[in-house]
Structures are given as C-alpha cells and as structure tokens.
Amino acid sequence: MIVVLLIIHALLAVTLLGAITHQTISVWLPARKAAGSFVGRMRAVPATSYANAIVVLYLATATLGAIIYPSYRLTVRVVLQQLEMYAANGAFELKEHFVAVGLGMLPAYWYFWRQPLASDYARTRAVLTALLAFVVWWSFLVGHILNNIRGFEV
Amino acid sequence: MNLARSFPLFAIVFAAAYAILYVVAVEYNLALFTYHPALEEFGFLVEKPKEGPAMYWYGWMATSALGAFAVAAIASWLPAGWARRVWTGWSWAVPLAVMLVFGYLLRGFFIR
C-alpha cells in the first residue's frame, strides 16, 4: 500500500513540478515575441492559469507526503543513520521544513495570483512563485534521491 | 468571487507569522500533538518516544497554523489605512529568512 501511495505522491509531485516550473519561467523570463521554439513556448504560457492548480497540487502532494512520512521515519531514516549518510538525512530534514514553510505561503500566493492581476503586486507574485518553485524542486530531488538510496522493499 | 477587504493583510501576516512560529515551534519543540508511528498513536502536546521514534512535525505545523491564524485574524482588524501600508513582501521575505535559518540550524548534517 505504501508503495502505491509513494508512486501517487511522486506522480503528483511531477505534475506540480511541471506546473510551477512553467509558471516561474513565464514570470521571470516572459516571451517578448511570438514563441517558435520549445523554450520559447514554455516562456509564453499564461502563468495565471496555473495558480489554482498549483495550490491544489501542493496541498495534495504535501498531504500524501504527510501520510507516507511515518513509513519513511520507521524504515528509511534508520537506514540512513546506520549508513552514516548525514547529508541525505539533513536534506530530508530541510525538505520537511521547507514544505511546511511553503504551506504557510499558499494563501498569499493564491491571493496575489487572483484575476485581475494587480501590477502593484508583480514583484511579490514573482518572488512567491520562485520561492515555492525552489521548495518544490528541492523536495522533488531529495525525495527522488532518498528513494534511490533506499529502494523498494520487495 | 468577492473576498473580504482584509484578506490580503490576513494572507501576508499569516505567511510571515506562520514561518516565525514554525521555526520557534521546531527549535523549542512546541508541538500541539505527537505521533508515535510504531504504535500508530497520537498524543496531546509533546510526548516522549514510546516504542520507536516520536514524530512532532505534524504538531509543529498545527501549532504554527493555529498561532498564525490568530495573529493574522487580529491583524485583519487593523484600520484600512494601516493595512495599506503593510509591505506585501513580508509574505516572502520572512519565509525566505526562516528557510535560511533552517539551513543554518541543520548545517551540522552537511559539514561533518
């Protein structure tokens, strides 16, 4: 059951990663002319349309992560400690704190992305998005690496 | 959708207060409840580990969320004139600072 939840957690995380990466790129590197290339089209996406999806995906991914966290605590963290993999352990500690701090930013993030977008809030919107993107990328990479270290118990 | 005029201030104060309360809750272990994963049991406030480890992360978030909600709700009562003067950047500056604090607090994991 945990493996199924872990896979769903990973799939949600991938979706969230894609959404917030698109939004962050389109906010910080907006396309100035008609997009032709792959990267150009990525920069030209309508950033506003991602906001609600990102909030829902963040909540869903974090909730699922919280559900499977006890299993990590009982089976994975012990192994990391036994193998003296301090950096991997610390990276996960940071992940749990970053995710928690990110949860607190969601109401503000959601508000500043509400339509119609207020130009006064452009900087706040951009930085909140970048910070959430950092949290999502950190969490994704750390989760992926730890999963690779521990593997599945088959 | 119409939002209360006070929501922007609520959201800004909540983001900042939550981040501060969270780092304080972690540092001083002020968990609203404890989870014992090996026993699949919850306990009120901070409990010592029973069989296996005790998990405080959920409790820290609950403490911070309740506290930040109270602080943000009180801030929402500020007069509109004051509210307009609040810098919207507090919503990201404080969480960013708290993330850096966590990086500092947990540096021991990376510099052994």
Side-chain angles (χ1 to χ4, degrees):
Chain A
M1 185 61 182
I2 286 294
V3 172
V4 173
L5 292 176
L6 184 63
I7 291 171
I8 297 170
H9 176 61
L11 290 173
L12 285 170
V14 168
T15 315
L16 174 60
L17 192 72
I20 201 150
T21 303
H22 274 85
Q23 191 182 50
T24 307
I25 290 172
S26 68
V27 167
W28 285 90
L29 297 167
R32 303 284 180 211
K33 53 185 179 182
S37 66
F38 173 79
V39 175
R41 283 194 293 276
M42 205 164 168
R43 292 168 60 184
V45 296
T48 314
S49 61
Y50 287 90
N52 286 342
I54 286 169
V55 171
V56 172
L57 284 167
Y58 193 103
L59 288 172
T61 311
T63 303
L64 211 47
I67 291 169
I68 58 178
Y69 188 14
S71 175
Y72 165 86
R73 192 64 187 265
L74 290 174
T75 59
V76 183
R77 194 179 184 204
V78 178
V79 175
L80 296 180
Q81 286 171 332
Q82 285 168 349
L83 296 174
E84 297 187 350
M85 302 182 81
Y86 301 114
N89 210 350
F92 189 88
E93 297 285 316
L94 279 176
K95 169 181 167 162
E96 71 169 2
H97 297 317
F98 288 173
V99 168
V101 172
L103 281 169
M105 294 192 301
L106 285 184
Y109 166 85
W110 176 79
Y111 174 77
F112 290 120
W113 274 107
R114 281 183 73 235
Q115 294 272 31
L117 295 181
S119 57
D120 292 353
Y121 302 146
R123 172 67 60 85
T124 299
R125 200 162 42 237
V127 180
L128 277 172
T129 306
L131 207 50
L132 277 178
F134 170 76
V135 170
V136 170
W137 269 98
W138 180 275
S139 303
F140 181 82
L141 292 174
V142 169
H144 186 67
I145 290 167
L146 289 180
N147 195 51
N148 286 351
I149 291 172
R150 185 66 177 93
F152 288 119
E153 285 181 273
V154 187
Chain B
M1 185 168 64
N2 287 321
L3 273 180
R5 267 184 308 167
S6 56
F7 186 78
L9 182 62
F10 177 90
I12 294 164
V13 174
F14 184 86
Y18 178 90
I20 292 169
L21 290 173
Y22 181 77
V23 73
V24 171
V26 172
E27 197 55 12
Y28 296 98
N29 199 10
L30 304 173
L32 191 63
F33 56 87
T34 304
Y35 181 62
H36 303 280
L39 301 170
E40 298 183 0
E41 265 183 27
F42 283 95
F44 185 57
L45 298 177
V46 175
E47 289 187 348
K48 288 181 180 170
K50 293 179 180 172
E51 285 178 33
M55 295 179 71
Y56 305 112
W57 183 62
Y58 310 105
W60 293 331
M61 287 196 293
T63 304
S64 319
L66 277 179
F69 186 88
V71 172
I74 292 166
S76 303
W77 288 88
L78 282 176
W82 288 20
R84 270 194 295 274
R85 269 181 253 151
V86 173
W87 182 46
T88 59
W90 290 120
S91 62
W92 58 262
V94 177
L96 175 62
V98 165
M99 286 164 69
L100 293 172
V101 167
F102 276 117
Y104 177 77
L105 291 174
L106 298 175
R107 68 194 183 285
F109 282 104
F110 305 99
I111 54 175
R112 279 169 189 259

